[in-house]
Amino acid sequence: MSVLLDHLPELWQGLLVTFQLTAASFLGAAVLGVLVTALRVSPVRVLRALGTAYVETFQNLPLLVLLVLAFFGLPEIGIQADLRVTAIAVIAVYEAAYIGEALRSGVNSVAKGQGEAARAIGLTFAQSLRHVILPQALRTVVQPIGNIFIALTMNTALAAAVGVVDLTAAANRVNLLEAQPIPIFVGAGAAYALIAACAGFVTGRLERRLVILR
């Protein structure tokens, strides 16, 4: 326990970076996920094919491979970016495929009559999706999206492998100094578990508040 207290500033700074990675990448993934959902349910076949290709591609590639490609490949083609920004972008693009699929399942759960009614009053596809379909779909997938948020939080630890000093990287640096892996990594794991528990609690409360009674 004393080793954690002795290195609390470094570990706290790493935890703050983990929070930043999680919040920013989840926000980006949510925005991209909505766009992916719109493509997946579009009446235009080409757009549906693009949405399907996006989901199939990123759901079948390891996140670590994408991170390594981005960190070492982008500079080769003249694109320079901060390590943290690159990690956020890659994680957001990756997790958007999962959010898009979760939202699509929510869209499929909305009664077809809702879309037909929206079109009957003159709403375009985009307007009906934004004002009628997605609000209802989102209420049915709170828990799945909460689970994706938790998975995303855990996935941010992979950014340590490519140089981002998050909680995992900070714990590893402390361990290299102190050579006490059990208390150090148990402490880091407890921090991740606490984040997951808080996310599960919040999504559980939201799900009960937003549940659609049928």
Side-chain angles (χ1 to χ4, degrees), residues 130-195:
R130 176 184 175 187
H131 297 293
V132 179
I133 306 300
L134 280 180
Q136 296 182 67
L138 186 59
R139 295 175 67 175
T140 68
V141 295
V142 172
Q143 193 62 57
I145 289 180
N147 293 338
I148 292 170
F149 177 85
I150 292 171
L152 183 152
T153 303
M154 305 308 156
N155 283 337
T156 60
L158 293 175
V162 285
V164 179
V165 187
D166 66 339
L167 177 58
T168 299
N172 189 51
R173 289 185 175 187
V174 172
N175 181 56
L176 290 175
L177 291 174
E178 302 289 350
Q180 296 187 47
I182 293 178
I184 293 169
F185 285 103
V186 166
Y192 282 110
L194 182 60
I195 296 172

Side-chain angles (χ1 to χ4, degrees), residues 35-130:
L35 294 176
V36 170
T37 302
L39 291 175
R40 292 280 275 155
V41 300
S42 171
V44 181
R45 181 178 298 179
V46 174
L47 296 181
R48 289 201 306 272
L50 285 174
T52 300
Y54 183 97
V55 170
E56 292 297 327
T57 298
F58 288 104
Q59 285 191 341
N60 290 287
L61 284 175
L63 177 57
L64 184 58
V65 170
L66 295 175
L67 286 167
V68 170
L69 285 174
F71 277 86
F72 297 104
L74 292 179
E76 293 294 325
I77 60 174
I79 300 177
Q80 301 289 339
D82 178 77
L83 292 178
R84 201 176 302 178
V85 172
T86 303
I88 288 169
V90 172
I91 296 171
V93 168
Y94 178 80
E95 296 292 345
Y98 293 90
I99 291 181
E101 279 298 273
L103 282 175
R104 186 175 74 92
S105 69
V107 169
N108 290 338
S109 72
V110 176
K112 291 183 179 180
Q114 296 290 320
E116 294 170 356
R119 288 192 296 272
I121 62 174
L123 295 182
T124 64
F125 170 76
Q127 290 172 330
S128 63
L129 196 64
R130 176 184 175 187

Side-chain angles (χ1 to χ4, degrees), residues 10-29:
E10 302 102 293
L11 295 171
W12 176 251
Q13 186 60 40
L15 182 60
L16 291 180
V17 172
T18 292
F19 284 146
Q20 292 171 0
L21 291 174
T22 300
S25 56
F26 182 75
L27 179 60

